[in-house]
Amino acid sequence: MPDRVREALAAAGYTAGWAVTGKLPAGVVARVFDAGADLATHRDGPGVRRLRANLARVRPDAGPAELDDLVRRGMRSYARYWREAFALPSLDPGAVHAAMHPHVHGIGGSLDTVRAGRGVLYALPHAGNWDVAGVYMVRELARLGLEPAITTVVQRLRPESLFRRFLDYRRSLGFEVVPADDPRAAHRAVTARLRGGGVACLIADRDLSGTGVGVSFLGAPARLPAGPARLARLTGAALHPAYAVFAGDAWGVHVGPEIPVPDRAAEAKATQALADAFGELIARRPEDWHMLASIHGGPG
């Protein structure tokens, strides 16, 4: 299938998702997305196989049946992310914040840091619903009388119309969103936010640049992006690992302690500490880790 046709079909599918998901009964939509996830699991395409390989690193002692069940739940969790992404613009941010608040753990220290005027950089793996986590953070910052905005960097999607829709969607949630394919603009935006004592969030469990830091991640060699540790060092911001999860019908997030990056020599050590923290956080709820790609870096 030509790329142009594939992109047009993808854009049409996403547009239809936004148009109908927030208007249909939640139970009906959930069953449809679960069925789609189960079908994808059964077909065992490249993404499902990569997810299986990644989850096998989280649960190295799991037998075939246990790993099959974990993959099935992982695909349903990933489908839930997309289902909620389509519905989120129609949800009440106050209700989202209230439902999530009891399931947020370890965030107090980082909020104290922001209150003191120092920036905070949350580094996250692909997990749970990071958009909902962002909505929570925007609402929490406003509740504390702080600037209710966060900066994040996103990969460009094709076609452009689809990417623009995602940008508009995330900006409507209160995010400053910068495309990753303009690294200078992304660096300026995140740096400015952190130096101004604000909050930035970066997905950091996969190196797409090929220039990341070599680490041991889930018991095997991998590469993680150098950006989070470097930005924390350059701006003086506090670097915290964070892991978004689903909590029944609600959502949660686990925030780890600050990872210090006092100087340039500490960046590699801090990136390894981030890999260790991600490993511990993912092990708590591996089904919510949506890594359907290689974690060795590069394409695939």
Side-chain angles (χ1 to χ4, degrees):
M1 182 184 295
D3 288 344
R4 185 175 298 177
V5 175
R6 187 181 294 108
E7 291 174 0
L9 290 173
Y14 285 119
T15 299
W18 264 301
V20 304
T21 300
K23 299 175 182 177
L24 294 176
V28 172
V29 175
R31 287 193 293 273
V32 169
F33 274 75
D34 282 350
D38 291 346
L39 178 61
T41 303
H42 177 73
R43 288 180 171 174
D44 198 32
V48 175
R49 292 196 295 272
R50 293 189 189 109
L51 178 64
R52 181 183 301 275
N54 292 333
L55 291 175
R57 291 171 64 165
V58 185
R59 290 283 188 267
D61 298 328
E66 183 181 350
L67 191 57
D68 285 346
D69 180 64
L70 185 56
V71 171
R72 182 186 65 84
R73 288 185 288 127
M75 289 299 294
R76 283 193 170 198
S77 176
Y78 185 50
R80 175 175 170 177
Y81 165 75
W82 284 108
R83 166 168 59 89
E84 292 179 348
F86 293 134
L88 193 55
S90 66
L91 299 181
D92 174 17
V96 170
H97 182 275
M100 185 170 174
H101 195 69
H103 308 288
V104 175
H105 306 285
I107 200 170
S110 60
L111 292 177
D112 289 342
T113 298
V114 180
R115 280 197 201 93
R118 182 184 174 205
V120 169
L121 174 57
Y122 295 108
L124 303 92
H126 292 78
N129 191 326
W130 48 88
D131 289 330
V132 166
V135 170
Y136 175 87
M137 179 56 66
V138 168
R139 189 87 178 182
E140 189 69 4
L141 292 172
R143 187 180 70 85
L144 296 172
L146 302 168
E147 184 181 1
I150 59 176
T151 299
T152 189
V153 179
V154 298
Q155 295 297 319
R156 186 174 293 274
L157 300 173
R158 293 287 185 268
E160 183 69 15
S161 60
L162 174 61
F163 179 64
R164 290 293 169 189
R165 181 134 193 179
F166 264 102
L167 283 184
D168 292 343
Y169 158 63
R170 288 191 167 104
R171 286 168 178 164
S172 75
L173 300 177
F175 308 163
E176 178 190 22
V177 185
V178 189
D181 60 356
D182 188 348
R184 291 186 178 180
H187 184 270
R188 286 195 300 268
V190 175
T191 299
R193 179 71 66 184
L194 295 174
R195 284 179 172 160
V199 172
C201 299
L202 296 177
I203 299 295
D205 57 345
R206 184 177 181 228
D207 173 45
L208 295 173
S209 69
T211 61
V213 178
V215 296
S216 175
F217 181 31
L218 294 169
R223 301 191 77 84
L224 293 190
R230 183 174 300 146
L231 284 163
R233 192 259 303 173
L234 288 172
T235 63
L239 174 62
H240 287 265
Y243 187 61
V245 298
F246 294 118
D249 292 333
W251 311 269
V253 67
H254 298 269
V255 178
E258 179 184 349
I259 297 173
V261 197
D263 51 42
R264 188 167 189 168
E267 290 180 15
K269 182 179 178 181
T271 305
Q272 180 61 64
L274 193 61
D276 294 341
F278 282 168
E280 293 175 5
L281 291 167
I282 290 167
R284 296 181 185 183
R285 281 190 62 88
E287 65 268 33
D288 286 337
W289 186 37
H290 308 150
M291 183 48 73
L292 278 68
S294 170
I295 58 174
H296 295 287

